[in-house]
Amino acid sequence: MLKKSKLLAGAMLAAFSLAIPAHAADVKEVQMLHWWTSGGEAAALATLKDYLAKEGYTWKDVPIAGGGGSAAMTTLKAMVAAGNPPTASQILGYYALDYAKAGKLNNLNELATKEHWADVIPKALQKFAVTDGNWDAVPVNIHSVNWLWINKAVMDKIGATEPKNFDEFIAMLDKAKKAGVIPLALGGQPWQEATMFDSVVMSTGGPDFYKKAFVDLDPAALKSDTMKKAFDNLAKLRDYVDPNYAGRDWNLATAMVIKGDALVQVMGDWAKGEFSVAKKTAGTDFMCYRFPGTDGSVIYNADMFAMFQVPADRRGAQLALADATMSPAVQSAFNVIKGSVPARMDVPDTAFDLCGKKGIADVKKADAAGTFVGSMAQNYAQPPAVATAYTDVVTKFFHGQIKTSDAAVTELVKAIDAAK
Ligand code: BGC
């Protein structure tokens, strides 16, 4: 009798399980939108995918090529508008705040509290990952844009050393030009030119000026002689690019330096990921110096994963992604390859090369000194509309559609005013 009822219970249980619709079980898949399509970027992302695979999650990639992420942001907007957001999206600064304020993101507070995220993530980044007290995005790294990436053999050949200010930088570029090497590897796309201009402004005016102009949007600073001088300096750099620079992707510009076809690229430290996948060693094959005249300051942008409101059966995968991203192991492995600094300040620098170690030390020093400032070009100083207005003016100036520095500052004030 007992046996019979056990059998019956078993049969009922089996029937019950079969009756549960498939979607009631957790979907063990992470869908991620990102613009990490270069060799170094893909290699870094693989560390996160592998980590999640070990936990039983599959990866559905939504890659939208285009450095700086503007194409990715357009796709994301369409997916969210269609009510079909990804589990998470790579995102920068003010874009995350916009989605959070629009009520599109999920709350991660339980995990954040359990894992003490607030104690290990710099306050500057928390401003973009936490809205109204709710964690809704997870920072995977801290990049910075004020770097030079130099081919060491070319630098030695032309007899140059680390330039310490803008004039020394120009002198170095002149030496390369005389030696018949392309001095400056530039990808002439708007976001790359604007990203380079962030560094030029910091070098020309220093951190207080940068903050006044780009964080406070002080009109006097935006149209000052210092800003004019920054545009003059940007114009000087135009003399050192090759004729094919317009439209070039950033990683192709990095490849020119890796191969020794060009001396230097001004680029965020994602460039180092390309040197790493090409098996080049920092200090031997290439050098990483702060953009001349910006030592002591870090112009940052941090890649975050914005966690969208997804159906309940995808929530587990989302939390697994957040947990993996914040794990010290992923923060180290990912950033060693990506070229960036861990977003967690408690991750040791042991596994990093000399550029990575310098990056980590620089972030800590700048954060303590008040010289850790958001990149205007990368949406960490201002919301997207203002950042786009800035990028437009810089690129028009660089390509000669705005002819003088006087006109450039006038246009800058006008464009920013209209975008505010
Ligand atoms: C992102 C980096 C990325 C770079 C080039 C930046 O906006 O923050 O992670 O490597 O664009 O694609």
Side-chain angles (χ1 to χ4, degrees):
M1 191 63 188
L2 192 68
K3 220 175 170 186
K4 201 173 167 192
S5 69
K6 251 193 174 173
L7 271 176
L8 191 65
M12 277 172 68
L13 196 64
F16 183 63
S17 325
L18 282 175
I20 294 177
H23 69 256
D26 262 7
V27 179
K28 300 211 96 189
E29 175 195 84
V30 170
Q31 187 190 24
M32 164 86 97
L33 189 146
H34 62 86
W35 60 95
W36 285 328
T37 53
S38 79
E41 291 172 334
L45 186 56
T47 61
L48 180 60
K49 290 182 192 172
D50 290 351
Y51 186 99
L52 283 164
K54 286 195 192 107
E55 299 201 332
Y57 291 92
T58 57
W59 186 270
K60 185 158 176 224
D61 217 29
V62 189
I64 310 290
S70 64
M73 288 303 97
T74 306
T75 304
L76 179 64
K77 198 172 170 191
M79 286 175 81
V80 174
N84 180 31
T87 315
S89 174
Q90 180 189 357
I91 208 152
L92 299 176
Y94 279 92
Y95 275 105
L97 289 186
D98 282 356
Y99 282 113
K101 284 181 189 143
K104 301 291 181 196
L105 303 184
N106 252 340
N107 186 321
L108 306 163
N109 284 358
E110 209 178 309
L111 190 64
T113 306
K114 196 174 112 209
E115 297 182 353
H116 306 287
W117 296 355
D119 299 338
V120 292
I121 300 292
K123 290 275 176 300
L125 265 54
Q126 291 187 36
K127 175 178 164 197
F128 299 98
V130 182
T131 307
D132 298 332
N134 295 325
W135 283 87
D136 43 38
V138 186
V140 65
N141 65 17
I142 301 170
H143 273 302
S144 54
V145 305
N146 53 321
W147 287 107
L148 300 184
W149 303 95
I150 294 187
N151 182 300
K152 173 87 164 52
V154 174
M155 184 172 83
D156 291 346
K157 194 178 104 189
I158 65 170
T161 51
E162 178 178 1
K164 287 298 198 181
N165 55 45
F166 194 79
D167 291 343
E168 288 183 22
F169 185 38
I170 295 295
M172 175 195 230
L173 295 172
D174 273 332
K175 279 188 178 169
K177 202 172 184 177
K178 279 203 193 98
V181 182
I182 297 168
L184 182 61
L186 179 66
Q189 296 171 344
W191 75 271
Q192 293 186 65
E193 291 152 354
T195 300
M196 182 165 79
F197 192 54
D198 284 356
S199 296
V200 175
V201 170
M202 178 65 87
S203 166
T204 311
D208 289 341
F209 175 77
Y210 182 101
K211 282 190 260 184
K212 252 196 213 130
F214 291 164
V215 181
D216 306 343
L217 294 184
D218 172 12
L222 287 170
K223 58 178 180 233
S224 64
D225 286 346
T226 306
M227 190 58 87
K228 281 183 207 162
K229 176 97 192 295
F231 276 105
D232 288 344
N233 285 342
L234 181 65
K236 286 185 191 155
L237 296 178
R238 238 182 342 218
D239 293 341
Y240 301 98
V241 302
D242 66 304
N244 302 321
Y245 82 98
R248 178 186 286 139
D249 286 336
W250 70 271
N251 54 320
L252 300 183
T254 313
M256 290 166 68
V257 177
I258 292 174
K259 282 191 244 148
D261 294 341
L263 169 68
V264 55
Q265 181 183 24
V266 179
M267 187 43 67
D269 39 18
W270 46 89
K272 207 200 71 185
E274 303 306 296
F275 286 94
S276 302
V277 290
K279 304 257 178 296
K280 301 293 182 191
T281 307
T284 315
D285 300 316
F286 69 96
M287 303 306 291
C288 49
Y289 299 134
R290 284 293 169 190
F291 187 93
T294 70
D295 232 354
S297 298
V298 168
I299 309 174
Y300 72 88
N301 71 310
D303 290 304
M304 302 205 175
F305 300 148
M307 299 294 176
F308 283 87
Q309 294 209 348
V310 285
D313 59 357
R314 290 186 171 267
R315 178 71 173 149
Q318 187 172 60
L319 290 171
L321 171 66
D323 180 59
T325 305
M326 284 300 291
S327 84
V330 168
Q331 290 259 334
S332 181
F334 178 96
N335 290 305
V336 160
I337 301 177
K338 188 70 170 56
S340 34
V341 165
R344 290 184 69 117
M345 290 294 97
D346 60 343
V347 172
D349 71 0
T350 337
F352 290 78
D353 67 6
L354 79 89
C355 301
K357 285 186 167 59
K358 176 170 169 49
I360 292 173
D362 283 356
V363 163
K364 289 187 176 155
K365 263 189 272 168
D367 196 24
T371 52
F372 184 66
V373 291
S375 160
M376 178 68 149
Q378 299 277 327
N379 297 288
Y380 271 92
Q382 292 295 329
V386 173
T388 305
Y390 163 77
T391 299
D392 274 1
V393 171
V394 172
T395 202
K396 279 190 183 138
F397 176 79
F398 201 82
H399 292 264
Q401 288 150 269
I402 297 175
K403 302 238 179 296
T404 64
S405 299
D406 266 329
V409 298
T410 307
E411 288 302 319
L412 188 63
V413 172
K414 231 174 39 192
I416 288 180
D417 259 353
K420 271 197 288 198

